[in-house]
mmCIF file of all heavy atoms in Angstrom:
data_model
loop_
_atom_site.group_PDB
_atom_site.id
_atom_site.type_symbol
_atom_site.label_atom_id
_atom_site.label_comp_id
_atom_site.label_asym_id
_atom_site.label_seq_id
_atom_site.Cartn_x
_atom_site.Cartn_y
_atom_site.Cartn_z
ATOM 1 N N ASN N 102 35.605 39.774 -5.884
ATOM 2 C CA ASN N 102 36.534 40.294 -4.881
ATOM 3 C C ASN N 102 36.197 39.803 -3.474
ATOM 4 O O ASN N 102 36.821 40.226 -2.500
ATOM 5 C CB ASN N 102 36.515 41.834 -4.878
ATOM 6 C CG ASN N 102 37.131 42.412 -6.144
ATOM 7 O OD1 ASN N 102 38.116 41.872 -6.657
ATOM 8 N ND2 ASN N 102 36.539 43.474 -6.666
ATOM 9 N N ILE N 103 35.223 38.914 -3.369
ATOM 10 C CA ILE N 103 34.828 38.380 -2.066
ATOM 11 C C ILE N 103 35.951 37.502 -1.511
ATOM 12 O O ILE N 103 36.514 36.666 -2.218
ATOM 13 C CB ILE N 103 33.528 37.551 -2.186
ATOM 14 C CG1 ILE N 103 32.369 38.435 -2.638
ATOM 15 C CG2 ILE N 103 33.193 36.864 -0.870
ATOM 16 C CD1 ILE N 103 31.949 39.462 -1.628
ATOM 17 N N LYS N 104 36.241 37.695 -0.232
ATOM 18 C CA LYS N 104 37.240 36.858 0.428
ATOM 19 C C LYS N 104 36.571 35.600 0.964
ATOM 20 O O LYS N 104 35.741 35.643 1.868
ATOM 21 C CB LYS N 104 37.910 37.618 1.572
ATOM 22 C CG LYS N 104 39.005 36.805 2.274
ATOM 23 C CD LYS N 104 39.622 37.591 3.423
ATOM 24 C CE LYS N 104 40.708 36.771 4.118
ATOM 25 N NZ LYS N 104 41.306 37.509 5.257
ATOM 26 N N LEU N 105 36.905 34.470 0.384
ATOM 27 C CA LEU N 105 36.337 33.199 0.815
ATOM 28 C C LEU N 105 37.210 32.587 1.909
ATOM 29 O O LEU N 105 38.422 32.471 1.747
ATOM 30 C CB LEU N 105 36.236 32.230 -0.363
ATOM 31 C CG LEU N 105 35.338 32.665 -1.527
ATOM 32 C CD1 LEU N 105 35.380 31.626 -2.640
ATOM 33 C CD2 LEU N 105 33.908 32.882 -1.053
ATOM 34 N N GLU N 106 36.584 32.189 3.004
ATOM 35 C CA GLU N 106 37.320 31.582 4.109
ATOM 36 C C GLU N 106 36.425 30.583 4.828
ATOM 37 O O GLU N 106 35.195 30.636 4.733
ATOM 38 C CB GLU N 106 37.800 32.655 5.081
ATOM 39 C CG GLU N 106 36.700 33.563 5.591
ATOM 40 C CD GLU N 106 37.246 34.708 6.424
ATOM 41 O OE1 GLU N 106 38.466 34.772 6.588
ATOM 42 O OE2 GLU N 106 36.440 35.502 6.912
ATOM 43 N N LYS N 107 37.060 29.693 5.585
ATOM 44 C CA LYS N 107 36.324 28.636 6.275
ATOM 45 C C LYS N 107 35.356 29.189 7.309
ATOM 46 O O LYS N 107 34.362 28.541 7.657
ATOM 47 C CB LYS N 107 37.298 27.659 6.932
ATOM 48 C CG LYS N 107 38.065 26.819 5.942
ATOM 49 C CD LYS N 107 38.868 25.737 6.627
ATOM 50 C CE LYS N 107 40.045 26.323 7.396
ATOM 51 N NZ LYS N 107 40.888 25.260 7.981
ATOM 52 N N GLY N 108 35.623 30.376 7.814
ATOM 53 C CA GLY N 108 34.768 30.973 8.831
ATOM 54 C C GLY N 108 33.340 31.179 8.364
ATOM 55 O O GLY N 108 32.419 31.280 9.190
ATOM 56 N N LEU N 109 33.112 31.227 7.058
ATOM 57 C CA LEU N 109 31.756 31.388 6.538
ATOM 58 C C LEU N 109 30.881 30.171 6.846
ATOM 59 O O LEU N 109 29.657 30.275 6.863
ATOM 60 C CB LEU N 109 31.801 31.623 5.021
ATOM 61 C CG LEU N 109 32.421 32.948 4.551
ATOM 62 C CD1 LEU N 109 32.591 32.956 3.040
ATOM 63 C CD2 LEU N 109 31.557 34.127 4.996
ATOM 64 N N TYR N 110 31.526 29.021 7.098
ATOM 65 C CA TYR N 110 30.763 27.815 7.424
ATOM 66 C C TYR N 110 30.370 27.757 8.894
ATOM 67 O O TYR N 110 29.466 27.005 9.260
ATOM 68 C CB TYR N 110 31.588 26.565 7.089
ATOM 69 C CG TYR N 110 31.687 26.270 5.606
ATOM 70 C CD1 TYR N 110 32.823 26.627 4.888
ATOM 71 C CD2 TYR N 110 30.657 25.629 4.929
ATOM 72 C CE1 TYR N 110 32.926 26.352 3.526
ATOM 73 C CE2 TYR N 110 30.751 25.354 3.577
ATOM 74 C CZ TYR N 110 31.893 25.713 2.876
ATOM 75 O OH TYR N 110 31.984 25.449 1.537
ATOM 76 N N THR N 111 31.040 28.486 9.739
ATOM 77 C CA THR N 111 30.837 28.365 11.180
ATOM 78 C C THR N 111 29.741 29.279 11.718
ATOM 79 O O THR N 111 29.382 29.193 12.889
ATOM 80 C CB THR N 111 32.142 28.663 11.940
ATOM 81 O OG1 THR N 111 32.568 30.008 11.664
ATOM 82 C CG2 THR N 111 33.236 27.697 11.517
ATOM 83 N N THR N 112 29.218 30.169 10.909
ATOM 84 C CA THR N 112 28.165 31.066 11.379
ATOM 85 C C THR N 112 26.846 30.302 11.498
ATOM 86 O O THR N 112 26.651 29.258 10.866
ATOM 87 C CB THR N 112 27.966 32.249 10.418
ATOM 88 O OG1 THR N 112 27.442 31.765 9.181
ATOM 89 C CG2 THR N 112 29.286 32.958 10.165
ATOM 90 N N SER N 113 25.940 30.815 12.301
ATOM 91 C CA SER N 113 24.639 30.170 12.483
ATOM 92 C C SER N 113 23.808 30.206 11.207
ATOM 93 O O SER N 113 22.896 29.400 11.025
ATOM 94 C CB SER N 113 23.870 30.847 13.624
ATOM 95 O OG SER N 113 23.659 32.224 13.340
ATOM 96 N N LYS N 114 24.129 31.119 10.314
ATOM 97 C CA LYS N 114 23.360 31.261 9.069
ATOM 98 C C LYS N 114 23.727 30.203 8.035
ATOM 99 O O LYS N 114 22.945 29.884 7.149
ATOM 100 C CB LYS N 114 23.581 32.647 8.461
ATOM 101 C CG LYS N 114 23.211 33.813 9.359
ATOM 102 C CD LYS N 114 23.461 35.130 8.660
ATOM 103 C CE LYS N 114 23.188 36.311 9.574
ATOM 104 N NZ LYS N 114 24.150 36.389 10.686
ATOM 105 N N GLY N 115 24.942 29.663 8.118
ATOM 106 C CA GLY N 115 25.400 28.748 7.100
ATOM 107 C C GLY N 115 26.179 29.473 6.009
ATOM 108 O O GLY N 115 26.203 30.702 5.941
ATOM 109 N N PHE N 116 26.816 28.708 5.139
ATOM 110 C CA PHE N 116 27.740 29.259 4.151
ATOM 111 C C PHE N 116 27.055 30.180 3.152
ATOM 112 O O PHE N 116 27.460 31.327 2.962
ATOM 113 C CB PHE N 116 28.440 28.119 3.409
ATOM 114 C CG PHE N 116 29.475 28.594 2.427
ATOM 115 C CD1 PHE N 116 30.747 28.947 2.850
ATOM 116 C CD2 PHE N 116 29.182 28.694 1.079
ATOM 117 C CE1 PHE N 116 31.707 29.389 1.946
ATOM 118 C CE2 PHE N 116 30.127 29.134 0.169
ATOM 119 C CZ PHE N 116 31.399 29.486 0.613
ATOM 120 N N THR N 117 25.996 29.709 2.504
ATOM 121 C CA THR N 117 25.369 30.502 1.442
ATOM 122 C C THR N 117 24.763 31.791 1.969
ATOM 123 O O THR N 117 24.925 32.859 1.352
ATOM 124 C CB THR N 117 24.293 29.679 0.711
ATOM 125 O OG1 THR N 117 24.921 28.566 0.048
ATOM 126 C CG2 THR N 117 23.568 30.516 -0.326
ATOM 127 N N LYS N 118 24.048 31.730 3.090
ATOM 128 C CA LYS N 118 23.435 32.940 3.636
ATOM 129 C C LYS N 118 24.495 33.945 4.082
ATOM 130 O O LYS N 118 24.316 35.165 3.927
ATOM 131 C CB LYS N 118 22.508 32.581 4.800
ATOM 132 C CG LYS N 118 21.244 31.875 4.350
ATOM 133 C CD LYS N 118 20.304 31.618 5.518
ATOM 134 C CE LYS N 118 19.030 30.929 5.048
ATOM 135 N NZ LYS N 118 18.109 30.636 6.177
ATOM 136 N N SER N 119 25.594 33.447 4.638
ATOM 137 C CA SER N 119 26.687 34.345 5.017
ATOM 138 C C SER N 119 27.300 34.997 3.779
ATOM 139 O O SER N 119 27.648 36.177 3.783
ATOM 140 C CB SER N 119 27.758 33.580 5.796
ATOM 141 O OG SER N 119 27.238 33.054 6.989
ATOM 142 N N LEU N 120 27.400 34.205 2.727
ATOM 143 C CA LEU N 120 27.943 34.717 1.476
ATOM 144 C C LEU N 120 26.991 35.737 0.857
ATOM 145 O O LEU N 120 27.431 36.747 0.282
ATOM 146 C CB LEU N 120 28.183 33.556 0.517
ATOM 147 C CG LEU N 120 29.139 33.782 -0.665
ATOM 148 C CD1 LEU N 120 30.519 34.200 -0.177
ATOM 149 C CD2 LEU N 120 29.240 32.514 -1.505
ATOM 150 N N GLU N 121 25.693 35.492 0.983
ATOM 151 C CA GLU N 121 24.695 36.432 0.457
ATOM 152 C C GLU N 121 24.774 37.788 1.155
ATOM 153 O O GLU N 121 24.521 38.824 0.529
ATOM 154 C CB GLU N 121 23.291 35.857 0.618
ATOM 155 C CG GLU N 121 22.887 34.844 -0.437
ATOM 156 C CD GLU N 121 22.555 35.474 -1.786
ATOM 157 O OE1 GLU N 121 22.390 36.715 -1.846
ATOM 158 O OE2 GLU N 121 22.460 34.724 -2.775
ATOM 159 N N GLU N 122 25.121 37.806 2.425
ATOM 160 C CA GLU N 122 25.249 39.075 3.133
ATOM 161 C C GLU N 122 26.419 39.886 2.592
ATOM 162 O O GLU N 122 26.370 41.119 2.561
ATOM 163 C CB GLU N 122 25.423 38.821 4.631
ATOM 164 C CG GLU N 122 24.168 38.297 5.303
ATOM 165 C CD GLU N 122 24.327 38.183 6.808
ATOM 166 O OE1 GLU N 122 25.479 38.362 7.299
ATOM 167 O OE2 GLU N 122 23.325 37.925 7.492
ATOM 168 N N LEU N 123 27.468 39.191 2.166
ATOM 169 C CA LEU N 123 28.619 39.881 1.585
ATOM 170 C C LEU N 123 28.371 40.280 0.135
ATOM 171 O O LEU N 123 28.925 41.274 -0.346
ATOM 172 C CB LEU N 123 29.856 38.968 1.662
ATOM 173 C CG LEU N 123 30.340 38.571 3.059
ATOM 174 C CD1 LEU N 123 31.483 37.569 2.948
ATOM 175 C CD2 LEU N 123 30.793 39.799 3.846
ATOM 176 N N ASP N 124 27.536 39.512 -0.531
ATOM 177 C CA ASP N 124 27.304 39.725 -1.963
ATOM 178 C C ASP N 124 25.822 39.517 -2.271
ATOM 179 O O ASP N 124 25.437 38.499 -2.833
ATOM 180 C CB ASP N 124 28.172 38.731 -2.760
ATOM 181 C CG ASP N 124 28.033 38.913 -4.256
ATOM 182 O OD1 ASP N 124 27.858 40.070 -4.703
ATOM 183 O OD2 ASP N 124 28.081 37.889 -4.983
ATOM 184 N N PRO N 125 24.948 40.471 -1.929
ATOM 185 C CA PRO N 125 23.494 40.309 -2.086
ATOM 186 C C PRO N 125 23.081 40.104 -3.542
ATOM 187 O O PRO N 125 23.550 40.804 -4.446
ATOM 188 C CB PRO N 125 22.935 41.629 -1.541
ATOM 189 C CG PRO N 125 24.018 42.193 -0.679
ATOM 190 C CD PRO N 125 25.300 41.774 -1.327
ATOM 191 N N SER N 126 22.182 39.160 -3.754
ATOM 192 C CA SER N 126 21.703 38.864 -5.107
ATOM 193 C C SER N 126 20.908 40.019 -5.698
ATOM 194 O O SER N 126 20.838 40.173 -6.919
ATOM 195 C CB SER N 126 20.839 37.599 -5.082
ATOM 196 O OG SER N 126 21.620 36.462 -4.787
ATOM 197 N N GLU N 127 20.310 40.833 -4.840
ATOM 198 C CA GLU N 127 19.515 41.957 -5.340
ATOM 199 C C GLU N 127 20.361 42.959 -6.108
ATOM 200 O O GLU N 127 19.841 43.742 -6.913
ATOM 201 C CB GLU N 127 18.818 42.658 -4.177
ATOM 202 C CG GLU N 127 19.761 43.239 -3.151
ATOM 203 C CD GLU N 127 19.033 43.775 -1.924
ATOM 204 O OE1 GLU N 127 17.934 43.281 -1.617
ATOM 205 O OE2 GLU N 127 19.591 44.680 -1.277
ATOM 206 N N ASN N 128 21.675 42.950 -5.904
ATOM 207 C CA ASN N 128 22.563 43.868 -6.628
ATOM 208 C C ASN N 128 22.728 43.487 -8.089
ATOM 209 O O ASN N 128 23.294 44.261 -8.872
ATOM 210 C CB ASN N 128 23.944 43.918 -5.963
ATOM 211 C CG ASN N 128 23.907 44.527 -4.574
ATOM 212 O OD1 ASN N 128 22.941 45.212 -4.218
ATOM 213 N ND2 ASN N 128 24.936 44.278 -3.780
ATOM 214 N N TYR N 129 22.244 42.285 -8.459
ATOM 215 C CA TYR N 129 22.480 41.791 -9.819
ATOM 216 C C TYR N 129 21.205 41.754 -10.652
ATOM 217 O O TYR N 129 21.207 41.195 -11.748
ATOM 218 C CB TYR N 129 23.119 40.396 -9.750
ATOM 219 C CG TYR N 129 24.473 40.411 -9.079
ATOM 220 C CD1 TYR N 129 24.571 40.241 -7.703
ATOM 221 C CD2 TYR N 129 25.639 40.643 -9.806
ATOM 222 C CE1 TYR N 129 25.802 40.274 -7.070
ATOM 223 C CE2 TYR N 129 26.871 40.676 -9.181
ATOM 224 C CZ TYR N 129 26.953 40.499 -7.811
ATOM 225 O OH TYR N 129 28.179 40.537 -7.182
ATOM 226 N N ILE N 130 20.126 42.337 -10.114
ATOM 227 C CA ILE N 130 18.882 42.398 -10.874
ATOM 228 C C ILE N 130 19.099 43.230 -12.144
ATOM 229 O O ILE N 130 19.644 44.332 -12.101
ATOM 230 C CB ILE N 130 17.759 43.011 -10.021
ATOM 231 C CG1 ILE N 130 17.451 42.107 -8.823
ATOM 232 C CG2 ILE N 130 16.497 43.226 -10.859
ATOM 233 C CD1 ILE N 130 16.426 42.669 -7.879
ATOM 234 N N GLY N 131 18.707 42.680 -13.269
ATOM 235 C CA GLY N 131 18.883 43.365 -14.540
ATOM 236 C C GLY N 131 20.214 43.118 -15.209
ATOM 237 O O GLY N 131 20.477 43.663 -16.285
ATOM 238 N N THR N 132 21.074 42.276 -14.597
ATOM 239 C CA THR N 132 22.370 41.940 -15.195
ATOM 240 C C THR N 132 22.343 40.497 -15.681
ATOM 241 O O THR N 132 21.388 39.748 -15.448
ATOM 242 C CB THR N 132 23.512 42.117 -14.174
ATOM 243 O OG1 THR N 132 23.434 41.065 -13.196
ATOM 244 C CG2 THR N 132 23.395 43.470 -13.477
ATOM 245 N N GLU N 133 23.400 40.081 -16.331
ATOM 246 C CA GLU N 133 23.483 38.710 -16.840
ATOM 247 C C GLU N 133 23.602 37.688 -15.702
ATOM 248 O O GLU N 133 23.424 36.482 -15.919
ATOM 249 C CB GLU N 133 24.676 38.567 -17.784
ATOM 250 C CG GLU N 133 26.024 38.822 -17.122
ATOM 251 C CD GLU N 133 27.187 38.628 -18.059
ATOM 252 O OE1 GLU N 133 26.934 38.431 -19.264
ATOM 253 O OE2 GLU N 133 28.337 38.669 -17.591
ATOM 254 N N LEU N 134 23.893 38.155 -14.484
ATOM 255 C CA LEU N 134 24.037 37.263 -13.329
ATOM 256 C C LEU N 134 22.744 37.152 -12.521
ATOM 257 O O LEU N 134 22.723 36.481 -11.487
ATOM 258 C CB LEU N 134 25.170 37.745 -12.420
ATOM 259 C CG LEU N 134 26.564 37.779 -13.062
ATOM 260 C CD1 LEU N 134 27.587 38.324 -12.081
ATOM 261 C CD2 LEU N 134 26.969 36.392 -13.542
ATOM 262 N N GLU N 135 21.688 37.810 -12.979
ATOM 263 C CA GLU N 135 20.415 37.707 -12.280
ATOM 264 C C GLU N 135 19.930 36.259 -12.303
ATOM 265 O O GLU N 135 20.031 35.573 -13.313
ATOM 266 C CB GLU N 135 19.363 38.605 -12.941
ATOM 267 C CG GLU N 135 18.018 38.597 -12.237
ATOM 268 C CD GLU N 135 17.010 39.539 -12.878
ATOM 269 O OE1 GLU N 135 17.366 40.188 -13.889
ATOM 270 O OE2 GLU N 135 15.875 39.621 -12.378
ATOM 271 N N GLY N 136 19.418 35.795 -11.192
ATOM 272 C CA GLY N 136 18.948 34.418 -11.087
ATOM 273 C C GLY N 136 19.948 33.492 -10.429
ATOM 274 O O GLY N 136 19.594 32.371 -10.049
#
């Protein structure tokens, strides 16, 4: 359900880190998406 937009590339953090803030990997520990 994450809204992907070009603005994620313009932040000082970069695309992946900005995306991680919206969808933290720690929420998937113990699931099939872990890793």
Side-chain angles (χ1 to χ4, degrees):
N102 291 322
I103 297 292
K104 182 181 180 181
L105 298 178
E106 54 187 0
K107 290 188 289 184
L109 293 171
Y110 286 100
T111 61
T112 67
S113 60
K114 302 180 184 67
F116 184 81
T117 296
K118 289 184 179 179
S119 298
L120 199 58
E121 280 285 347
E122 290 186 351
L123 297 175
D124 182 34
S126 292
E127 61 187 27
N128 294 342
Y129 297 89
I130 296 176
T132 72
E133 62 178 7
L134 299 178
E135 182 178 1

